[in-house]
Amino acid sequence: MVERNLAQDLLPVMVDAGQIEQVLINLFTNAYQAMPEGGKLIISGIDNKDRVSPKVKDTGIGIAKENLEKIFEPLFTTKAKGIGLGLTVTKLLTEANEGTISVESEVGKGTVFTVSFPTK
């Protein structure tokens, strides 16, 4: 199930649309893969005058604490078929567009990725 909670009046940001599309695709794909038995994907977005912050939240398996600090490292993966570049590329593309990315997760309860971009 996908739930969308985007504010209607989000401020515009100046980003490379193709790069940010890839960021979101990577986050959506990871969320989907983290919910092998199904679950909920929640896409939300808020702004606070100088930044717009989309969030991608899932109700999946979560990320173990010992792995949280490693997930953006090249070649780190916990997936049998993964190569460990998805979140590395996601972080690099986010930063290339003057953004930041953060993650919160709890095993068995899910994960929230928040990206944030300055408004122009």
Side-chain angles (χ1 to χ4, degrees):
M1 169 189 233
V2 177
E3 183 178 310
R4 191 179 79 158
N5 297 321
L6 297 172
Q8 296 298 316
D9 57 348
L10 290 174
L11 295 171
V13 293
M14 296 294 291
V15 295
D16 181 299
Q19 290 179 353
I20 302 312
E21 178 180 18
Q22 187 62 55
V23 165
L24 294 173
I25 287 170
N26 288 353
L27 295 177
F28 297 158
T29 300
N30 283 356
Y32 171 77
Q33 292 172 348
M35 300 184 291
E37 305 297 321
K40 186 185 280 189
L41 171 63
I42 303 165
I43 304 160
S44 61
I46 59 169
D47 65 45
N48 60 4
K49 296 186 182 176
D50 64 340
R51 295 193 77 77
V52 170
S53 300
K55 293 184 179 217
V56 177
K57 178 179 182 179
D58 68 63
T59 58
I61 59 174
I63 302 168
K65 285 185 181 185
E66 63 268 15
N67 291 335
L68 275 176
E69 60 191 48
K70 301 175 190 174
I71 62 170
F72 295 112
E73 293 178 8
L75 306 179
F76 177 79
T77 186
T78 59
K79 299 175 186 173
K81 295 183 180 181
I83 59 171
L85 293 177
L87 286 175
T88 302
V89 168
T90 297
K91 183 176 184 192
L92 290 171
L93 291 176
T94 299
E95 291 173 348
N97 285 273
E98 300 179 33
T100 60
I101 186 167
S102 62
V103 60
E104 298 173 38
S105 189
E106 188 174 340
V107 173
K109 295 196 176 185
T111 302
V112 180
F113 282 92
T114 303
V115 290
S116 183
F117 301 99
T119 58
K120 301 285 183 180

